[in-house]
Amino acid sequence: MVVGQLYLEHLADADLAVLAAAGDPDAATERDPRRIEALIDSPALFRRLFSTPGRDPLLQGSPFLLFAVLVHRAIRDLGQTSFVEEWVGPRQRVPVFDVSGLREFGADPMRRFFLAELLASYTQVASGSFLVQTRRGWRRRHFSELDPVRLIELAELLPGTERASVYRRLGDLSLFLTGVFPDYAAERLVVERERRRLERALAAPDREDAERRDGIWLLESLGRRAYQIAQHAADRRSAMTAVLAEVSQNFAAARRVLNFMTDRYLFPLRRQWFATG
């Protein structure tokens, strides 16, 4: 019931109309929080949104609806496959027959919602500027939700009570980039000067190994750390608090689910759908 209500809070009236059209026309279930996930998981809805060649699915539904459908579709696919093409490096995939961890991660309704919400949030990203005091006086620094170094700088300038939301977004960014753009995250995202800054943000054990690892490992470590900080500062009564802890502990599984989903469904349109610049 909780996760169903969360879905309804994110779906627009037009989305609910799409759900109704793809479901049973004689049963008004699209506003029932107990039935909403079943509708989103429906093969009929997937076909309605994604089976017309040349038509952008975003013309039919909101980003959140589309990604919710694709997350459910990818989890359904994982239940029927014996192996996945595992990302092991830029332009490198190898078959891996250990799929159970991915199935287990995707079996939880709140985790599925979490992934859909995360993906939809990157169709539009926030940016801005803030002032930093340096040896030469005050300087204006620009930040973007797609820049992990600037997010860390912003978090360090905020009062403790306001940092959690920025660290949550830092965790989201780490998961988004390693899951949807792994080649870019591994090779091009972190230049050497900024790499040192990210290494300093890690806990000591991770920092000692960071120099020998690639950008994916660095972002995974950073994402786990950021989600831990956000989770500890979050409202214990919130259902999402537990999810943050679970994603922090199972970051690699969450990333692998997104890698699988990207290779199957997102790759052709990811630069068109996401505000990555």
Side-chain angles (χ1 to χ4, degrees):
M1 179 71 76
V2 172
V3 71
Q5 193 60 48
L6 289 173
Y7 275 105
L8 288 174
E9 291 172 2
H10 282 67
L11 294 170
D13 288 342
D15 294 330
L16 296 177
V18 173
L19 289 172
D24 184 349
D26 297 324
T29 58
E30 70 277 3
R31 294 184 185 273
D32 185 348
R34 297 168 297 182
R35 297 290 308 279
I36 192 70
E37 260 215 298
L39 289 174
I40 289 173
D41 191 41
S42 163
L45 179 59
F46 176 83
R47 290 192 298 269
R48 181 181 181 89
L49 291 174
F50 295 99
S51 295
T52 304
R55 183 170 64 179
D56 188 343
L58 280 176
L59 298 176
Q60 302 183 75
S62 70
F64 177 77
L65 174 62
L66 266 61
F67 292 125
V69 171
L70 287 179
V71 167
H72 281 77
R73 181 72 175 195
I75 300 304
R76 179 187 285 264
D77 291 348
L78 284 169
Q80 301 171 352
T81 188
S82 59
F83 71 94
V84 295
E85 293 290 336
E86 181 84 358
W87 186 95
V88 294
R91 296 165 296 282
Q92 299 178 59
R93 303 288 193 279
V94 297
V96 172
F97 291 87
D98 180 14
V99 188
S100 60
L102 308 189
R103 293 172 181 160
E104 181 180 352
F105 183 88
D108 182 79
M110 284 298 298
R111 294 177 195 165
R112 294 193 294 268
F113 171 82
F114 174 88
L115 293 179
E117 184 183 48
L118 180 145
L119 291 169
S121 74
Y122 283 99
T123 57
Q124 295 183 343
V125 297
S127 61
S129 62
F130 55 94
L131 294 175
V132 179
Q133 189 171 20
T134 69
R135 294 176 180 177
R136 298 182 179 181
W138 290 95
R139 294 289 185 270
R140 184 171 297 278
R141 292 280 181 84
H142 295 276
F143 79 91
S144 165
E145 285 188 315
L146 293 173
D147 187 333
V149 173
R150 295 293 177 256
L151 284 178
I152 291 172
E153 291 179 349
L154 177 61
E156 291 176 345
L157 290 173
L158 291 174
T161 55
E162 299 179 25
R163 290 179 183 174
S165 61
V166 179
Y167 278 111
R168 161 69 193 274
R169 204 58 179 149
L170 181 59
D172 289 345
L173 177 61
S174 301
L175 182 54
F176 172 71
L177 290 176
T178 57
V180 181
F181 294 94
D183 288 0
Y184 173 75
E187 286 188 314
R188 299 168 50 198
L189 173 67
V190 183
V191 299
E192 192 62 27
R193 174 175 53 83
E194 294 182 340
R195 182 185 181 90
R196 302 298 180 189
R197 183 67 185 82
L198 294 180
E199 289 171 2
R200 288 196 297 272
L202 297 177
D206 288 338
R207 190 167 61 242
E208 292 171 1
D209 291 336
E211 293 184 0
R212 302 191 296 271
R213 307 300 184 109
D214 63 15
I216 292 291
W217 184 91
L218 184 61
L219 285 174
E220 279 196 8
S221 301
L222 187 67
R224 286 194 299 268
R225 175 71 171 157
Y227 279 141
Q228 285 175 358
I229 295 173
Q231 176 251 325
H232 287 312
D235 184 351
R236 299 296 179 186
R237 297 167 295 179
S238 170
M240 195 56 66
T241 302
V243 178
L244 292 178
E246 292 165 3
V247 176
S248 175
Q249 295 165 6
N250 300 278
F251 195 97
R255 187 261 301 166
R256 292 176 65 205
V257 169
L258 290 182
N259 289 160
F260 175 81
M261 179 178 165
T262 296
D263 289 346
R264 286 216 168 187
Y265 298 113
L266 298 182
F267 187 83
L269 294 170
R270 59 181 180 165
R271 294 192 181 278
Q272 176 180 329
W273 284 355
F274 295 115
T276 54

